[in-house]
Amino acid sequence: MTHTKAPIGIFDSGFGGLSILREIRKVLPQYDYIFLGDNARAPYGTRSFQLVYEFTLQSVNYLFAQGCQLVILACNTASAKALRTIQQNDLPHIDPTRRVLGVIRPTVEKVGEISRTGHVGVFGTPGTIQSRSYDIEIAKMHPGFSVYGHACPMWVPLVENRESDGDGADYFVKKDVEALLSQCADIDAVILGCTHYPLLIHKIRKYMPPHIQVIEQGHIVAESLKDYLHRHPEMECRCSQGGSCRYLTTEDATRFSSLASVFVNEEVAAQHVTLAAK
Ligand code: DGL
């Protein structure tokens, strides 16, 4: 079967996925990308399993309708709550040759190289922490490691509302860093298990003791995608190579564009889209 070439789809509930997109474009600048942010319905982190699944499936279907053959869920909450069902139940009906990949597994693969004590902290949305996805994946890949999760329900709203540099962010970041570290004195690596959190990295580093490694996902996911495309030439040849990026948002396009331009360090002219159930 011959397939037309299409951009790689990158999805997040909001702005956070831009932290992944930016690193992917550094490592794989040759491909075309479509970024879709469901800002109108963010945050996902406090929503039910069913809603995160429905919203994520709608977004994946939208990107498929744009022609994308490969979609990255640049969102831990969606990776935790929707990825497996989409891969196992939906893709076989939609198109078994297309692929949807998440961000949790590549991050977990890396943590084994980073932590020496085997005591790993995870910051995430309430949804990601409650799903215990990191605990489950780390137990599979690094038996013997201990995982300490802490949900930070205020961090995504701070980012989505452009408050990541404000004093309010200091208050919540300090409180949450202390709460995570109080669980175990031997934690030596902390995963930022939400793609919005790198946008708070300066505050996180300010309150994190320097001997603790803070693991950002962007570069890890980018390298993992590069490796995936290398191992899957049948998918690689379906990804178009023009170096372009289109931005779509379910919220106001002007508001999205102005903030996104800061994150990705280039002029963004986003387009508003409406997602619907199929
Ligand atoms: N950025 C997303 C994540 O990685 C979710 C943020 C949210 O919508 O709550 O989990």
Side-chain angles (χ1 to χ4, degrees), residues 13 42-47 76-77 121-131 134 148-161 168-181 183 190-198 200-201 203-204 207-208 214:
S13 61
Y44 278 15
T46 42
R47 292 191 186 274
N76 289 266
T77 311
V122 181
F123 285 127
T125 64
T128 298
I129 298 301
Q130 274 157 23
S131 76
Y134 274 98
Y148 308 88
H150 180 74
C152 309
M154 291 306 292
W155 290 16
V156 170
L158 284 167
V159 171
E160 288 287 314
N161 291 292
D170 278 282
Y171 172 80
F172 285 108
V173 170
K174 180 171 186 288
K175 182 167 160 266
D176 287 319
V177 167
E178 286 172 359
L180 174 68
L181 298 183
Q183 294 185 50
V190 172
I191 297 171
L192 300 189
C194 171
T195 56
H196 280 67
Y197 295 174
L200 287 163
I201 189 71
K203 305 268 185 205
I204 296 167
Y207 297 108
M208 190 71 77
V214 179

